[in-house]
């Protein structure tokens, strides 16, 4: 008799919480989504996470005691063994225990993991990364996240903080980053950085179709950038090209250090305008990578969309032997 044949996987991002109830065939049975509303504090976010988990149970008519595990992805540095999030800037969290309240509520083994690590695991086990034993996942959105799979296993480092690719410093004299440093990768090449560059161009009177597509230059959506590309907008092309060159530079360097089998790019921006960015990224990576390291290294766009971290939850539950 198979009793505990489901898990719930949660991706608690800076703007939205996604949850999925998944069966033993790795199929998503039901989903839930809520805005994160991080401004109301950690307890309110944890309550929403619990509500999302409950909603997937109700929709699928699965009882909590049929769950083998609950896995929650968090955008920050954390200790997955202690269940503590040390720092999650997008949630304004510092030293928050996420695991205890969820475990207390459902009485089910509960785990947290960095969201980019979960995304890389998801891509490695269920996406395009299947056959690549050394893989780097790069998530280009509001910030830039990284997850590293080495020898088919997630690489966490000595204090669970490995993979923070967004804070590799590209230009010490560059823009200030959310972490306090200057010229971090994510301060130079995230969607936020691309948006800032376009906004500056508009301010200085440059003509761009973006002004016809949106009024909100503080948060130019990936779809807007895609539409601007279609109308061959020079300003948008220039800033996407510049971000792509930086992404390629980082990939080339990572290839030199790690001799990777594959780099998989993911998240909204890459999915919307990746066809334009990918050739520039490849060329720029090739320019700095050692030929032997670059040869045979794949640079791909993820096929899992928003579900990468949710699928990563399956891999994590399997890793701890519960699923
Ligand atoms: Zn930084």
């Amino acid at each position: 008799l198979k009793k505990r044949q489901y898990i719930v996987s949660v991706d608690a991002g800076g703007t939205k919480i996604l949850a999925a109830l998944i069966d033993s065939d790795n199929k998503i049975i039901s989903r839930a989504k809520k805005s994160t509303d991080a401004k109301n504090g950690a307890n309110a976010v944890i309550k929403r996470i619990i509500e999302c988990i409950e909603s997937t149970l109700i929709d699928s008519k699965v009882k909590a005691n049929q769950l083998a595990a609950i896995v929650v992805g968090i955008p920050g540095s954390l200790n997955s063994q202690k269940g503590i999030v040390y720092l999650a800037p997008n949630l304004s969290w510092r030293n928050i225990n996420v695991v205890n309240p969820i475990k207390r509520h459902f009485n089910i083994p509960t785990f947290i993991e960095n969201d980019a690590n979960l995304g890389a695991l998801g891509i490695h086990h269920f996406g395009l990364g299947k056959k690549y034993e050394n893989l780097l996942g790069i998530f280009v959105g509001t910030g830039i996240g990284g997850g590293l799979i080495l020898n088919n296993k997630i690489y966490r480092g000595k204090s669970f903080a490995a993979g923070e690719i967004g804070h590799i410093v590209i230009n010490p004299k560059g823009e200030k980053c959310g972490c306090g440093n200057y010229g971090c990768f994510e301060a130079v090449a995230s969607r936020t950085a691309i948006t800032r560059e376009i906004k500056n161009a508009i301010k200085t009177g440059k003509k761009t179709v973006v002004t016809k597509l949106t009024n909100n230059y503080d948060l130019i959506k990936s779809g807007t950038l895609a539409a601007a590309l279609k109308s061959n907008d020079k300003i948008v092309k220039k800033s996407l090209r510049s971000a792509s060159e930086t992404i390629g530079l980082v990939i080339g360097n990572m290839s030199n250090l790690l001799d990777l089998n594959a780099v998989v790019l993911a998240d909204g921006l890459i999915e919307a305008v990746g066809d334009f960015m990918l050739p520039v990224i490849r060329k720029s990576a090739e320019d700095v990578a050692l030929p032997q390291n670059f040869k045979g290294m794949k640079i791909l766009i993820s096929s899992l969309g928003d579900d990468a971290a949710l699928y990563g939850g399956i891999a994590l539950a399997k890793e701890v032997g519960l699923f």
Side-chain angles (χ1 to χ4, degrees):
L1 188 75
K2 272 203 265 172
K3 268 203 322 217
R4 293 175 181 254
Q5 51 194 346
Y6 304 94
I7 64 160
V8 176
S9 192
V10 182
D11 183 9
T15 52
K16 59 182 191 276
I17 300 167
L18 302 174
L21 187 132
I22 297 163
D23 72 7
S24 52
D25 294 326
N26 306 324
K27 271 212 330 242
I28 293 179
I29 303 298
S30 64
R31 292 173 182 270
K33 181 177 172 178
K34 271 179 188 287
S35 68
T36 309
D37 253 344
K39 63 182 183 303
N40 294 326
N43 287 338
V45 175
I46 293 169
K47 190 168 163 255
R48 281 162 172 261
I49 292 173
I50 289 172
E51 286 166 3
C52 279
I53 297 168
E54 272 178 337
S55 158
T56 66
L57 288 166
I58 291 164
D59 286 353
S60 57
K61 300 191 172 67
V62 169
K63 296 205 167 55
N65 65 14
Q66 290 175 279
L67 295 179
I70 294 167
V71 178
V72 184
I74 306 278
S77 65
L78 51 84
N79 184 323
S80 50
Q81 286 176 352
K82 291 183 177 160
I84 292 172
V85 177
Y86 295 127
L87 183 67
N90 291 336
L91 299 171
S92 307
W93 285 10
R94 218 175 254 278
N95 300 320
I96 302 288
N97 193 315
V98 185
V99 165
N100 282 349
I102 297 173
K103 212 197 240 167
R104 225 181 288 132
H105 188 94
F106 293 101
N107 198 24
I108 297 296
T110 301
F111 304 88
I112 53 170
E113 180 57 87
N114 173 271
D115 61 346
N117 282 356
L118 278 185
L121 270 176
I123 287 166
H124 184 244
H125 288 271
F126 300 101
L128 293 169
K130 257 176 246 176
K131 40 188 189 296
Y132 306 113
E133 60 176 305
N134 302 296
L135 177 147
L136 172 65
I138 303 180
F139 303 86
V140 186
T142 317
I144 298 182
L148 198 50
I149 308 278
L150 297 178
N151 303 317
N152 290 315
K153 279 179 70 181
I154 192 87
Y155 178 78
R156 293 187 175 92
K158 69 163 188 355
S159 50
F160 300 90
E164 290 290 351
I165 201 166
H167 302 286
I168 287 176
V169 174
I170 303 295
N171 174 13
K173 292 186 180 121
E175 292 283 340
K176 190 165 188 185
C177 178
C179 75
N181 277 342
Y182 290 84
C184 289
F185 182 25
E186 75 173 35
V188 177
S190 64
R191 196 188 52 169
T192 314
I194 292 163
T195 292
R196 186 186 55 230
E197 223 174 90
I198 295 167
K199 192 179 161 187
N200 287 342
I202 293 170
K203 264 195 206 155
T204 58
K206 299 246 167 59
K207 280 232 156 52
T208 160
V209 70
V210 169
T211 53
K212 294 193 186 100
L213 296 168
T214 177
N215 302 319
N216 185 0
Y217 309 141
D218 289 323
L219 204 150
I220 301 171
K221 291 189 173 147
S222 302
T224 306
L225 295 174
L229 264 191
K230 266 201 185 133
S231 39
N232 209 19
D233 189 87
K234 282 203 177 70
I235 298 296
V236 169
K237 272 188 164 175
K238 182 172 171 251
S239 81
L240 285 176
R241 198 176 293 121
S242 146
S244 304
E245 281 165 0
T246 302
I247 294 169
L249 172 75
V250 170
I251 291 173
N253 279 312
M254 292 301 113
S255 154
N256 289 349
L257 179 68
L258 299 165
D259 193 15
L260 297 161
N261 300 85
V263 176
V264 181
L265 297 154
D267 246 352
L269 176 77
I270 295 290
E271 276 156 40
V273 292
D275 288 346
F276 175 82
M277 293 174 78
L278 202 53
V280 186
I281 292 172
R282 283 211 178 100
K283 167 78 174 59
S284 162
E286 189 171 14
D287 284 346
V288 293
L290 297 168
Q292 189 56 39
N293 298 36
F294 188 78
K295 199 176 139 199
M297 179 181 72
K298 302 281 184 203
I299 303 176
L300 308 164
I301 295 175
S302 169
S303 56
L304 291 178
D306 270 355
D307 289 344
L310 296 176
Y311 279 105
I314 304 173
L316 192 85
K318 287 187 201 289
E319 186 186 299
V320 295
L322 284 170
F323 194 52

